[in-house]
Structures are given as structure tokens and as C-alpha cells.
Amino acid sequence: METRQFFWLRALLLWLLVMFCSIYATRADITCRTCQPGNKWRARELLLKFDTSGSSTGSRGEEVFGRGGESGRAAAGGAQSQSRCSGAGGPAECAPEPRVKGDTAEKEFTKGKLSSVISNKHRTRRDSTARKVGRGPEPRPGAGSAAPGRRVTRSDVRWSAEERRAAGARQEELRLNSSTFALTGDSSHNQAMVHWSGQNSSVILMLTKLFDFNLNSVTESSLWRSTDYGATYQKLNDKVGAKTILSYLYVSPNNKRKIMLLTDPEVESSLLISSDEGATYQKYRLNFYILSLLFHPEQEDWILAYSHDQKLYSSVEFGRRWQLVHERVAPNRFYWSKMGLDKEPGLIHLETSISEGQALYVTCKLQNCTDANKGKPFPGYIDPNSLVVQDEYVFVQVSTGGKPIYYVSAKRDVFTPMKLPKYTMPKDLHVISTDENRVVAAVQEWNQNETYNLYVSDTSGVFYTLALENVVSSMGPEGNVMVDLYEVAGIKGMFLANKKTDNQVKTYITYNRGRDWRLLQAPSRDLRGSSIHCVLPYCSLHLHLHVSANPYTSGNIASRDSAPGIIVASGSFGSELTAGNVSVYITSDAGNTWRQIFDEEYAVLYLNKGGALVAIRHTPLPIRHLWLSLDEGRQWNKYSFTNTPLFVDGVLGEPGDETLIMTIFGHVSHRSEWQLVKIDFRSIFNRRCTDADYQTWHLHDQGEPCLMGLKRIYRKLKSLSRCVMGSMYAASMTSGPCECSEADFECDYGFERRTDGKCTPAFWFHPSSMSRSCTTGMTFLNRTGYRKVVSNNCTAGVSVEYTARRQKCPIQAPRGLYLVTSEGALTATLGSNVTFLVFLEEGDSARTSITLDFGDGHALTYSNVSSIEDGIKHIYKTVGIYRVTATGENSLGSETATLYLHVTCQLEHIHLSAPFVAVRNKEVNLTAVLWPSQVGTVTYIWWIGNNTEPLITLEGSVACTFSREGISSVTVQVSAGKTILQDRKTIAVHEYFKSHLLAFSSNLDDHNPDVAEWRLDVSRVIKSSLIQATGVREDQLLVTVLPGLPTTAEFFLLPDKRLKDGNLEQLSEVLLGALNQNLVQFTLRPEVQVTVYAAHLSAAPLVDTSENHSGSAMLMLLSVVVVGLAVFVIYKFKRSQASTSMRKCRMKKNKK
């Protein structure tokens, strides 16, 4: 029993979430797993987060740990931050969204659809979470890499044999200068968030919380502050309010002295603000719940807040006052403007929801977002959750006929459809990166399920070529797509990717932004010095590049800008990447050679700008040692950092350039308080580095020194140099240009690389089409099939041969004319503005006139294509299907595009007109009457009797016969656009019957609302009155009141089934006699007595006896009377066939 209790106690303990946000702000939702120099961690790791000094990004205080099971598993964080942000336009700051109990918006916020993962050279974690351009809600990448409140099982409190042996000889082991502080009273808290102010500050703030998983909310919290780099802490609960429950901690990206605390909205919705690094606080009430915050990249007091009810608020006073910006804002789809691209710094890009399936991209002024001040950069509706604003690019998606069209705007210019190779046919597209003035997109094509192809664009972001096929993908922590692409920090153009080939996953490396890829050479020897026989291409080294939804699953790689060439990663060698037998490998020469440094899982951290490496073992057991290397992992020294073994929950690394301080968080048992161990490495690095402490190394790719058009020389510390690198240290020393070679050029759009390396046109591509934007008298670049790799700095060489040459624009006939509506729909509502967009792929757009015929007798002509970039608007005044034609014409020819537009109006009501009684095997007519009568294209679905298969027609009438006596039901459904209405009637089928029309005293019309329910009630009253006056059997009489005014009705006499001859004539005479004698009356309401009559012809004279009319005229009138009487007594009704045994139906056209 004790064992089971102990197990569950362990299972409910804390686990570590390191989410340090006071680092470089990731740009607008772009958090690619590998597009940021940073770390992804292996299975059962602890996330170690590091604060980087000089960071220009704001952050939520990093949620660095939650106590729990896989304690002691540290992740190779390196002294760098891992920041996932709430989307910004440009390098804006972001803060992860708080969890609000029971709030579905929070779930949408964290499960994404349009995801853009755009890497930023200032980002320290290169995490290739993809930002999807497409439908659906999408997590804002940056909402925190580890979810708060994750529960894991805590390990048993026991020492390993190694620790026991070490305990006996502690007087001989190497020790680090450390001190331990216990957070007394917080033993029950299972989550924590930490912020280290960074360079030139010794302040650390720590928020610990008790998260109740049953209530899904925070029930207790404590705020701690250290002013001596973590040696001691002061509890600040009294300063923020003893009963105040705090849920999140945020830091201004531009002034880290400014701190913001968010209270738990289940208790109260408030902000606590500090301007002195958390020493004092002021509380401000909120009238909304904050789901996410977005800090301005430059203005320290400007913040955007997104609420649980889809409203966007702004503050220019660091949260002290808030103003509503806009309602119905899509989650994660709001961005700050970018200096140099947008007209003003206070501009906000946002996506607003219009209706289900429709959204708008608008721009707003920060303090004045009125309709008059709104901008609409994209003409028309876009798909929901598809807006991405990143660096100088803006992406949206518009679906037409179920097919998505992706648009891009570069430098805030007009939107242009993105051009992928013609038969790519993407079913999913994500933006991975927009660094260096080009776009990297991950596209899942029609024949792919688990992999993506990488495409790279030109500087316009419009034209894309294939870079790498079948890159492995997985689902991220918040349901977003993670692509196994890692951008190595410190070396421009270097990437690692995991590619799936023949069901085997292999790791590839590139040094020229994806132009060329190769496998990794495995180490020549293992840890024991034994030779490794691993021959390319059959055997190579493979690395884990991904981050799983669970932070304790496989994935571990780290690099750093200040340590170019050094990469630490977990992986294995062989024919493919495996999850088992994982070791830790390091390269000191940017991936040319690799060495094995551990044969089990370790977290390796960068210290002293990469001049030293610290390793902590991944283990569920308590530990008291770490390992330190001063020679890039060749030799490791073991140090103790505490006397008592500790379950390690997390590590906070150095925030500044020179502090050389690290804090380890953990616990000594499952009931103990948090133990914070401050480790000071300054005693090991006893002096500052001089020039004599450095050595140079040349970047190369298997001996080739010219990479990205440059020969680059770096410097790094010599082995065993125990000195501190100063804040002025720069890893790069010199670089020199190289002559251009074929390797500096990639294939241009429409061209494909052959096996001999040459780029030739694809079978679907016409090279002449590249001059489509030419204007006569201007010039264009005549493509050679090659384009220089973006950011490549080579000169001369083959540059003239491969570079596109400028030529005069030829006069061309228009080709590739496209006509669409701005909404991408083929329907429009009567009376609404319809915007038509016309695109011309080829031809002189300035000299090509456009004529648009709207199909309703109206047409417009424009002198050139550029004059209609904002679209052509038109209002249709009549329902119908219109043939809309656009014609482009110049002196060399013309081109035509056609669109068939369905103009409809709302269907408000339908009525099924059907006889009350029908004769067996006699045809009856069923008609669906619509209000309004003209609504556009309509489909009628007829359900006859109990038949399971409907009759579907485009006409509003059908004719049917019934072969069996009894009661049959008829239901008609009318589908018009998105509206479906129905009506139902029952028909009594008999062998024969007799009927007669009824009239009423005029006072009944004054009380007739002409609704179906009223007619049914009055029919029942009339039937009762007729039975009372004549004694007719109830089962032989049916009465129905007919629609319209004046009020009329009809009675039906049915045969008596007990008699062979029903003798309906006698009953009819009885009924007519009672009616003619005014014996049939009923009371509609007090003082309203209604008399029922047998209907007769008009009381006016049948003929005019004046001598001016001839006898023939009178005879003609009498004949009309006879015909009219025949109409009143009729046996013939029409009906549709629904089954061969019961009925036979045929369609009849409505007479218009």
C-alpha cells in the first residue's frame, strides 16, 4: 500500500518548464524548430533556458520548470534563450498566452492552422515550427515551448552506485563554488517561472505556483526575488497582496526593469506593474481576461492584449490604461508594424472575422481604429486564420472552388499569387523562414502524407524552386506542424535536415542555403578509441532535430552565434536515424567531422560564449555532479555542485556576457521545498582573455573554402585557456570574396536540375513568359535558368554567364488572363457590391486594355491592367446566372477569360400546393411556391410517402398518381444557396369522392391572417359545424380552408366503406341544402358569428339585358358560367411518382 501511495505522490509532483522570454523576440509567430539558433531536446530531458544579455525582445518570465518525474534530465540549452512569441510584424516582442480555465478560445489560440515559422537571425532558438498559410485556428508559435502544468512521475529517492562511491572520497573531488537556498513554504507548488534581468543586473525573479489539474487553475502562488544572482531570495507575497494569486510574469523587451504580473482571472482580473525590477508593484484592475500579450519591438510601453472574447486592446502606458482596438479579431492574427515598411510605427496589422469562412485583412491606427482610418491592403475576403505578417512579407490565402490560392506581398506592395512549380498542387503550405529577403516554404504535395518539400523563393517571394524533398515532419506541442529543419547558429547558409528516403530517415547538411545537400560523416572512433567502420553513403551520422509535444521525448541539438562551428546533438550512426542507442556528438568544424562525447543522454550547455561546455546527465536519479570541458568536448572534468544529491528540475544559465553564473533548480525528496543552487564558475576562469589565448580556423565544406561566395576565418579559444571572453569578443575575424562558380547559383523558377548539374526548363514552362510584367520601352531580366543563391557574395567568375541579362521588353499579345471575384466565390447576393479581380500573366500590361462585360447589359473598359489593381465593382439588380467576360487586348492580339456568376437572394418562405384529396390512379399536381418567387438557382427535393429515396428536380412542380387508398404524405425541401426550407402536406387517396367550394360571410376576412395554422383550426371548426347541421359521419367528411383572400374553403365527401355504393349524391344534396338554408354557422370569437355558404357564381347579372348586346354574347357568357361550375367539382389532381407500387410521378414545368 505504501508503495502505491508513494507512486501516486511521485506522479503528482512538479516538472520543469523553462520558457525564458527575456531574449530576442521571435518574429511574428515564426518559431521554427531549426530556424533559430537554439535547442531541441531529447527524450526525457529537462528544458534548460538561458537569458541572453542585450536582448531586444520582451518576454513572459520563463516558465522554467515544473517539479516531477524525469528530474535530473537537463537539456542542452547553451547560454541562449528559447523564445516562442505571440506573432509580431518584424522583430516584435511577444509573450505566451496565459491559460484560462474553461476558455475554448485559449484552445484555438494554441492549436493552429495558418502557421508561419519564419526564422530570425536575432533569434536564439532555431525551432522550425511551421506557420501555416491556410484555414483554421493556429497556435501562435511562441506561446511557450512547454505547456504549464505537465505532470510527470517523480523518481524514487535513491543514490546510484556512482554517487555512493563518490561520497566516500569527496575530499578529493573537484568542487565548484556554489550556494543553496530553499524556497521555504513552497513544497506543494508544482510550477515555476523565472526571469533573470540579464546584463548589468543581479536580479532574478521567480514565480512559483500550485496548479490544480482538477480545477484547471492556479490555487496558490509565491513571488521570490534575488538581488545577488540567486544566492538568496526574498518572498514578496506581502508586496503584491497576501491573498493575490499570480498566474504569469512578463518583462518588457526594451526595458527589463519593467515587470508585469498577471493575476488568476478565476479570482480577479488585474495587473501588477513594477518599474524597478520587481522591487515594488502597483495593481490595476482589468475589465477583460488576457489570453496573450504582444509587446512593441521598440516602444517599451506599447502593448497589445488579446481577450477571451476575441477583442484586441492596446496600451501605451505599459498596461496602466487600455483601449479597445477592434472586435472579432482572429486569435494570433495581429502584428505590430515594421519600421521602414509601414507608414507609421503605431500601425497594427490584424485579421477580422466577418462570417464563417470569411475574414478581412485590415490595418488600424493604434489609438484611432475607426472605419475611416482602416486600411484594406488586400481587396476582398481571405480565408480565416490565414494572415501572416513577417518581416517585409505578408501572406494570405483565398480558396476558390475548394482550391487554395496563396498570395504574397513584398515590402507592402500589391498582392501577387505565389508561384510554385506548376504541378506542385499543395494540400498544405507553411512559411518556414523569411530571413535574408527570401521565403522558405514547406509544402505538402498531393502525394505526400508525413513529409514536406522545401521550396525557396526569389526576393519578391513570388517564384519558388525546390530545395529538398521529403523532409520529415511531426506535430508540435500545440498541434502545429514541426518540420525537421535546423538552421545552425553563427554560420550563414548552414542548415541540417532530416529527409525520408525509402522509408529511412537520414540527416543531410547544406552550407549554401539548400542549393546542395550531403550526408554527415560518422565519427572515425568511439568513446573507447575503437575504430568505427561507417562508409558513405551506406552508413552515416544522423541527428535528432525535432521537438516533441512532450518535452521529455527525443530531440536534442544546440548551436550558438558566439561559438560558430560548434554543434552539439543527440543521434546515432548507421543506415538511418533510430530512437534507440542514442549518443551525444559534437563538431568543432561546422559539421565536417564529428566526435562522440557521451554514450548516454546528457544535456550540454554553452558557457563563456562557447569557450567552455557544461554537461549534466539525463537521469531520473538524484545527482550532485556536472562535467566541464574547456577544449570543445575532448576532455571532461567532473565537479560536484552540492553536498546532497539533488533531483534536478531545471537550469537557468548566464544572462549576461561575463557573469559565468548558473542556477540549478531541484529537490532532495518528493516532499521537500525547491532547492536553488547557485554555481559560480568565475573561480575557474581566473583572468580575461588576450589575443594570445585565441586561435583561428577556416570554415570549409570538405576542403572547399568558398561558401556562400566568401572565404571566412573565425577565431576561438585555444584548448585549456582558462580565461573570460569579454563583451567585445567577436567570433568572426575576416572574410574575403570568391569568384563565382556554378555552385553559387540555384535553378530559377520553371527550371529543374539534371543529373549533370545543369538547369533546364521543366516540360510545363515557357521561358518567354518571364517577361509578363514588361512595359514597352522598359527593360526586363532575360532569365538564364539560374539565379544567385540569396546572400551569396561571390563576384566575377561565371557571374556574367549565369546572371540574368537586362533586355528591352518586347511587345507581346496578352496571355494568361484570369478573372475571379475578390471573395473567390461564384455566387453573389442581389444588390451587393461584387468586386472582380483581373490578372494578366503575360503581355504589356501598360498597353493592354481590359474590357469587363458584366453579362447584364453593362460593360466597362480600362486603358491598362494597372488601373484595375484594386478590382472592379458592380451591383446586380436582378436574380440570375450571368456570363461575365474579361477581354485583354493590345495591337498584337487579345485574350478572354469567362466567369459564370450566380446572383441570388434570400429564400424566405415556401408553400407546398397540393390537393387535400386525390383519386386513386388519377394524376395530381404538386407545386412548391417560393417567396420571393425569384431567388436564383434552386434545387427541389421531393419525399413522397414513406419512400426512402427522394426525387430531385430543378423544377418547382411534379405530377404524381397514387395506386393505393389511404393517407400519403408529401414533403418538399427547397435548397437555395446556403438556405434549405421545407413544407409538408398529407393527401387522402380514395377510389372516388365528391367536393364543393365553400364561401363565408365577409366578416371572416377581417380576421384571416392567412397563415397555415389558422387555416387548419378554422377547417376543424367548419367540419364540426357541418356535421352538427347535417349528421354526416365524421369519417366521410374532410374540410380544408384555402390560402388567400377572400376566404374560401372546400369540403370533400368520401364513400362509406361499409356500403358497396356510397351514394354520395344524396349526402351532397343534404350538405348543400343545409348550406343554402344558412344552417351552418360558427363563432370565431365573441360577437363574431360566421355563416358558411355553398359557393356560387357572382351575384351580378349573368348577362346584360341592354339592347346593345347581342344574344350570342349572352350565350358566350352562359358557357363561361358552365365551365366555371365544372371547375368547382373536379376529380382530377396531379401527383409525383415515388415508387412503382404506390405512385407514378413525372415532372411538370412551372408556368412563368
Side-chain angles (χ1 to χ4, degrees):
M1 188 67 179
E2 292 180 357
T3 302
R4 293 183 60 186
Q5 291 177 345
F6 185 68
F7 170 79
W8 287 111
L9 284 171
R10 289 164 42 205
L12 292 173
L13 284 178
L14 323 166
W15 67 280
L16 185 74
L17 291 167
V18 183
M19 301 163 44
F20 187 86
C21 249
S22 55
I23 51 173
Y24 297 107
T26 57
R27 306 184 180 180
D29 300 313
I30 309 311
T31 54
C32 71
R33 161 188 321 156
T34 57
C35 308
Q36 308 181 59
N39 316 319
K40 280 185 214 5
W41 309 125
R42 233 198 104 60
R44 306 187 311 191
E45 68 189 352
L46 286 182
L47 298 181
L48 309 181
K49 308 290 182 176
F50 293 82
D51 207 347
T52 306
S53 66
S55 167
S56 63
T57 71
S59 66
R60 182 178 75 179
E62 199 58 67
E63 189 159 358
V64 295
F65 54 86
R67 285 164 54 178
E70 303 294 350
S71 314
R73 298 185 179 277
Q80 52 203 16
S81 64
Q82 302 186 13
S83 165
R84 294 192 171 210
C85 302
S86 305
E93 169 48 6
C94 57
E97 48 275 276
R99 266 65 169 170
V100 178
K101 177 185 176 184
D103 198 317
T104 57
E106 188 273 338
K107 295 180 182 178
E108 292 177 324
F109 217 41
T110 58
K111 293 182 180 180
K113 280 288 185 191
L114 169 45
S115 48
S116 131
V117 187
I118 301 175
S119 122
N120 176 352
K121 64 183 178 181
H122 298 299
R123 274 187 236 145
T124 50
R125 180 178 179 192
R126 308 249 167 196
D127 183 5
S128 66
T129 308
R131 181 162 189 74
K132 177 179 179 181
V133 180
R135 290 178 178 266
E138 121 136 288
R140 184 176 296 280
S145 56
R150 192 182 301 279
R151 289 174 287 181
V152 293
T153 306
R154 194 178 208 168
S155 307
D156 292 332
V157 182
R158 61 182 184 273
W159 287 19
S160 65
E162 179 184 10
E163 297 291 347
R164 294 194 192 98
R165 289 193 299 271
R170 288 180 184 173
Q171 67 277 11
E172 301 176 3
E173 66 185 3
L174 298 173
R175 294 187 56 84
L176 291 170
N177 184 8
S178 64
S179 60
T180 302
F181 186 88
L183 300 184
T184 305
D186 285 359
S187 60
S188 64
H189 291 191
N190 54 7
Q191 293 180 3
M193 304 175 71
V194 178
H195 166 69
W196 197 337
S197 289
Q199 189 175 9
N200 301 322
S201 175
S202 60
V203 175
I204 299 177
L205 288 175
M206 183 171 181
L207 173 63
T208 64
K209 302 177 291 182
L210 172 59
F211 187 87
D212 190 310
F213 294 97
N214 294 320
L215 299 177
N216 194 33
S217 64
V218 178
T219 57
E220 293 180 16
S221 67
S222 296
L223 182 64
W224 300 82
R225 184 173 185 263
S226 171
T227 57
D228 52 9
Y229 293 103
T232 59
Y233 287 82
Q234 177 188 4
K235 197 169 187 176
L236 301 183
N237 283 27
D238 292 339
K239 293 189 177 183
V240 299
K243 296 184 179 180
T244 300
I245 299 178
L246 303 174
S247 58
Y248 286 91
L249 181 154
Y250 296 89
V251 184
S252 170
N254 303 299
N255 183 354
K256 294 185 180 180
R257 294 181 60 83
K258 292 188 175 182
I259 309 296
M260 181 182 294
L261 296 172
L262 185 64
T263 62
D264 186 352
E266 292 296 309
V267 180
E268 63 173 324
S269 186
S270 300
L271 287 176
L272 288 94
I273 297 173
S274 172
S275 298
D276 53 10
E277 291 188 289
T280 60
Y281 294 90
Q282 296 82 41
K283 180 180 285 190
Y284 297 87
R285 294 283 183 177
L286 295 173
N287 58 3
F288 61 95
Y289 290 174
I290 293 179
L291 287 184
S292 67
L293 294 178
L294 180 64
F295 292 87
H296 194 276
E298 297 171 357
Q299 300 289 337
E300 63 184 52
D301 292 333
W302 290 12
I303 310 173
L304 295 177
Y306 187 76
S307 70
H308 67 291
D309 54 357
Q310 293 189 316
K311 294 180 181 179
L312 186 66
Y313 296 85
S314 67
S315 174
V316 294
E317 302 177 56
F318 199 70
R320 291 174 176 84
R321 292 183 180 86
W322 294 92
Q323 177 178 328
L324 178 65
V325 176
H326 208 288
E327 296 182 347
R328 301 192 69 182
V329 177
N332 313 323
R333 307 300 171 186
F334 48 92
Y335 309 86
W336 284 111
S337 57
K338 184 174 176 62
M339 291 297 293
L341 290 173
D342 294 289
K343 297 179 180 179
E344 50 188 295
L347 200 67
I348 304 169
H349 301 263
L350 54 91
E351 177 187 312
T352 64
S353 301
I354 302 301
S355 63
E356 183 179 355
Q358 289 185 329
L360 278 177
Y361 165 32
V362 300
T363 55
C364 262
K365 292 185 178 179
L366 175 62
Q367 296 290 303
N368 189 17
C369 189
T370 62
D371 289 337
N373 290 317
K374 287 181 186 177
K376 294 184 179 179
F378 185 82
Y381 296 119
I382 64 174
D383 290 349
N385 297 299
S386 70
L387 174 66
V388 177
V389 181
Q390 179 58 46
D391 296 326
E392 64 182 54
Y393 300 99
V394 181
F395 304 89
V396 297
Q397 174 184 313
V398 177
S399 293
T400 303
K403 179 182 178 182
I405 301 176
Y406 304 98
Y407 291 87
V408 62
S409 166
K411 298 181 179 179
R412 308 301 189 260
D413 203 348
V414 296
F415 280 87
T416 305
M418 295 168 62
K419 289 288 188 179
L420 293 163
K422 187 173 183 178
Y423 295 105
T424 299
M425 295 186 289
K427 60 182 181 182
D428 197 17
L429 184 148
H430 301 263
V431 175
I432 297 295
S433 168
T434 56
D435 280 353
E436 303 289 345
N437 299 318
R438 78 159 184 182
V439 180
V440 178
V443 178
Q444 190 170 70
E445 302 189 22
W446 62 273
N447 57 350
Q448 293 178 303
N449 292 316
E450 298 177 352
T451 61
Y452 283 74
N453 291 346
L454 293 181
Y455 288 87
V456 295
S457 78
D458 59 354
T459 55
S460 70
V462 174
F463 298 99
Y464 291 78
T465 59
L466 181 64
L468 186 65
E469 293 182 291
N470 295 319
V471 178
V472 176
S473 68
S474 60
M475 297 303 294
E478 292 143 358
N480 46 330
V481 173
M482 306 287 287
V483 180
D484 273 13
L485 175 70
Y486 185 89
E487 181 176 1
V488 178
I491 298 180
K492 184 175 65 175
M494 184 176 175
F495 290 83
L496 291 162
N498 281 333
K499 175 182 177 179
K500 194 170 186 179
T501 305
D502 298 329
N503 292 322
Q504 291 184 327
V505 177
K506 301 174 183 288
T507 301
Y508 289 78
I509 189 170
T510 179
Y511 295 87
N512 52 11
R513 288 192 170 273
R515 196 278 189 191
D516 300 293
W517 297 85
R518 66 170 175 83
L519 295 167
L520 299 179
Q521 178 64 60
S524 58
R525 296 185 179 277
D526 61 16
L527 273 180
R528 290 167 291 278
S530 303
S531 297
I532 296 177
H533 183 70
C534 187
V535 180
L536 293 171
Y538 310 104
C539 175
S540 59
L541 178 65
H542 311 288
L543 306 176
H544 290 282
L545 305 178
H546 69 279
V547 171
S548 172
N550 187 328
Y552 297 97
T553 59
S554 180
N556 181 351
I557 185 167
S559 59
R560 192 176 176 188
D561 285 320
S562 61
I566 300 178
I567 308 171
V568 181
S570 296
S572 59
F573 62 86
S575 60
E576 62 177 328
L577 180 65
T578 61
N581 299 320
V582 175
S583 298
V584 181
Y585 299 89
I586 189 171
T587 176
S588 302
D589 55 5
N592 285 281
T593 60
W594 294 81
R595 290 174 280 111
Q596 184 182 11
I597 54 176
F598 296 106
D599 57 4
E600 55 184 337
E601 295 181 79
Y602 277 76
V604 180
L605 295 78
Y606 291 75
L607 192 69
N608 191 27
K609 295 183 177 294
L613 299 174
V614 176
I616 299 178
R617 185 184 177 191
H618 283 169
T619 175
L621 305 178
I623 61 174
R624 51 183 295 272
H625 293 101
L626 55 77
W627 283 257
L628 178 67
S629 174
L630 301 176
D631 57 358
E632 299 174 349
R634 292 176 176 82
Q635 293 182 352
W636 294 88
N637 293 319
K638 183 178 179 181
Y639 290 83
S640 66
F641 60 87
T642 180
N643 291 325
T644 303
L646 195 70
F647 291 98
V648 175
D649 292 318
V651 178
L652 184 65
E654 59 169 326
D657 286 329
E658 304 174 38
T659 57
L660 296 174
I661 292 173
M662 180 182 296
T663 300
I664 294 181
F665 305 87
H667 54 280
V668 295
S669 72
H670 64 276
R671 292 188 179 92
S672 71
E673 292 89 358
W674 295 105
Q675 303 291 320
L676 278 60
V677 181
K678 171 190 172 184
I679 303 174
D680 193 339
F681 290 92
R682 286 177 293 186
S683 60
I684 296 176
F685 304 95
N686 50 22
R687 60 183 178 83
R688 288 193 174 273
C689 297
T690 64
D691 289 341
D693 292 304
Y694 295 101
Q695 61 182 344
T696 62
W697 71 278
H698 297 253
L699 176 65
H700 65 93
D701 175 13
Q702 294 183 327
E704 173 55 55
C706 287
L707 300 176
M708 296 294 291
L710 291 175
K711 293 180 179 179
R712 283 172 280 182
I713 302 176
Y714 297 90
R715 67 172 183 170
K716 58 184 177 181
L717 280 180
K718 293 179 180 178
S719 297
L720 305 179
S721 289
R722 298 196 176 191
C723 59
V724 179
M725 299 186 193
S727 58
M728 301 303 293
Y729 164 77
S732 179
M733 288 184 60
T734 61
S735 62
C738 299
E739 285 193 354
C740 292
S741 66
E742 188 267 343
D744 296 306
F745 293 82
E746 61 190 3
C747 291
D748 205 345
Y749 173 76
F751 290 81
E752 298 173 339
R753 191 175 301 280
R754 300 185 312 198
T755 54
D756 61 0
K758 300 296 183 181
C759 295
T760 58
F763 72 94
W764 49 265
F765 181 68
H766 304 285
S768 61
S769 66
M770 296 303 293
S771 61
R772 68 198 163 284
S773 59
C774 263
T775 300
T776 303
M778 304 291 287
T779 60
F780 77 102
L781 291 175
N782 188 15
R783 308 287 174 161
T784 62
Y786 299 86
R787 66 187 184 197
K788 185 184 288 189
V789 175
V790 174
S791 301
N792 190 293
N793 296 297
C794 71
T795 59
V798 299
S799 180
V800 174
E801 177 184 351
Y802 284 87
T803 302
R805 291 175 289 277
R806 191 161 293 280
Q807 297 181 1
K808 288 186 177 181
C809 293
I811 301 177
Q812 296 185 87
R815 289 182 57 187
L817 190 67
Y818 294 94
L819 172 64
V820 296
T821 61
S822 59
E823 295 84 2
L826 297 176
T827 62
T829 303
L830 183 67
S832 64
N833 247 324
V834 183
T835 302
F836 294 95
L837 302 178
V838 181
F839 302 99
L840 180 64
E841 280 202 340
E842 299 179 34
D844 187 348
S845 59
R847 295 174 183 267
T848 299
S849 65
I850 297 294
T851 299
L852 189 61
D853 186 340
F854 300 104
D856 61 351
H858 295 84
L860 293 173
T861 300
Y862 296 85
S863 59
N864 55 62
V865 178
S866 58
S867 61
I868 56 173
E869 288 178 347
D870 294 332
I872 304 170
K873 299 183 183 299
H874 185 67
I875 297 177
Y876 288 90
K877 299 181 179 180
T878 307
V879 168
I881 302 176
Y882 295 90
R883 185 177 187 269
V884 186
T885 304
T887 303
E889 186 174 8
N890 62 24
S891 59
L892 295 181
S894 63
E895 177 88 348
T896 300
T898 302
L899 179 150
Y900 293 93
L901 185 70
H902 293 242
V903 178
T904 63
C905 66
Q906 181 69 32
L907 177 63
E908 298 176 3
H909 177 65
I910 69 169
H911 168 71
L912 174 59
S913 176
F916 200 64
V917 183
V919 176
R920 187 173 68 88
N921 292 328
K922 293 292 184 178
E923 194 175 71
V924 295
N925 185 50
L926 308 174
T927 302
V929 183
L930 312 183
W931 283 273
S933 59
Q934 298 294 326
V935 295
T937 305
V938 176
T939 303
Y940 300 85
I941 303 107
W942 305 87
W943 301 86
I944 311 298
N946 57 1
N947 189 22
T948 59
E949 294 295 329
L951 175 66
I952 300 175
T953 71
L954 297 178
E955 301 295 339
S957 291
V958 294
C960 295
T961 59
F962 295 87
S963 60
R964 293 183 182 178
E965 292 189 72
I967 301 297
S968 291
S969 65
V970 177
T971 300
V972 62
Q973 292 182 326
V974 180
S975 175
K978 296 182 179 180
T979 302
I980 298 180
L981 300 180
Q982 78 173 32
D983 193 14
R984 185 176 183 272
K985 291 289 187 296
T986 59
I987 299 176
V989 181
H990 292 277
E991 196 68 40
Y992 58 93
F993 65 89
K994 194 171 184 64
S995 69
H996 201 286
L997 291 177
L998 301 175
F1000 304 92
S1001 52
S1002 59
N1003 58 348
L1004 182 59
D1005 291 344
D1006 298 334
H1007 302 279
N1008 184 355
D1010 197 22
V1011 296
E1013 292 80 4
W1014 184 89
R1015 290 193 292 270
L1016 287 173
D1017 288 337
V1018 173
S1019 298
R1020 177 175 46 80
V1021 173
I1022 297 170
K1023 180 178 178 180
S1024 297
S1025 299
L1026 284 170
I1027 293 173
Q1028 184 177 0
T1030 62
V1032 176
R1033 290 171 54 87
E1034 182 177 355
D1035 59 353
Q1036 285 190 267
L1037 182 63
L1038 296 175
V1039 178
T1040 178
V1041 176
L1042 303 177
L1045 292 173
T1047 308
T1048 58
E1050 189 172 8
F1051 74 79
F1052 300 88
L1053 283 172
L1054 307 177
D1056 189 345
K1057 298 297 183 183
R1058 298 172 302 176
L1059 303 176
K1060 293 183 178 180
D1061 185 1
N1063 196 6
L1064 296 182
E1065 291 293 340
Q1066 294 180 4
L1067 287 177
S1068 178
E1069 292 297 331
V1070 173
L1071 285 170
L1072 290 176
L1075 292 167
N1076 290 333
Q1077 297 176 43
N1078 297 335
L1079 298 179
V1080 182
Q1081 297 182 344
F1082 64 90
T1083 302
L1084 186 67
R1085 60 174 56 182
E1087 300 180 358
V1088 180
Q1089 188 77 11
V1090 179
T1091 303
V1092 185
Y1093 307 99
H1096 297 287
L1097 294 179
S1098 171
L1102 294 179
V1103 295
D1104 190 341
T1105 57
S1106 67
E1107 59 185 20
N1108 295 332
H1109 291 83
S1110 64
S1112 62
M1114 290 191 294
L1115 289 174
M1116 182 179 70
L1117 288 175
L1118 287 172
S1119 66
V1120 170
V1121 169
V1122 174
V1123 173
L1125 287 173
V1127 171
F1128 289 133
V1129 182
I1130 187 169
Y1131 287 85
K1132 183 177 181 181
F1133 295 90
K1134 300 179 182 178
R1135 171 88 172 156
S1136 59
Q1137 175 174 349
S1139 70
T1140 56
S1141 62
M1142 289 289 295
R1143 53 204 156 264
K1144 297 179 180 178
C1145 300
R1146 61 181 177 86
M1147 290 179 287
K1148 289 189 67 178
K1149 294 186 178 179
N1150 283 328
K1151 294 183 179 179
K1152 306 253 177 150

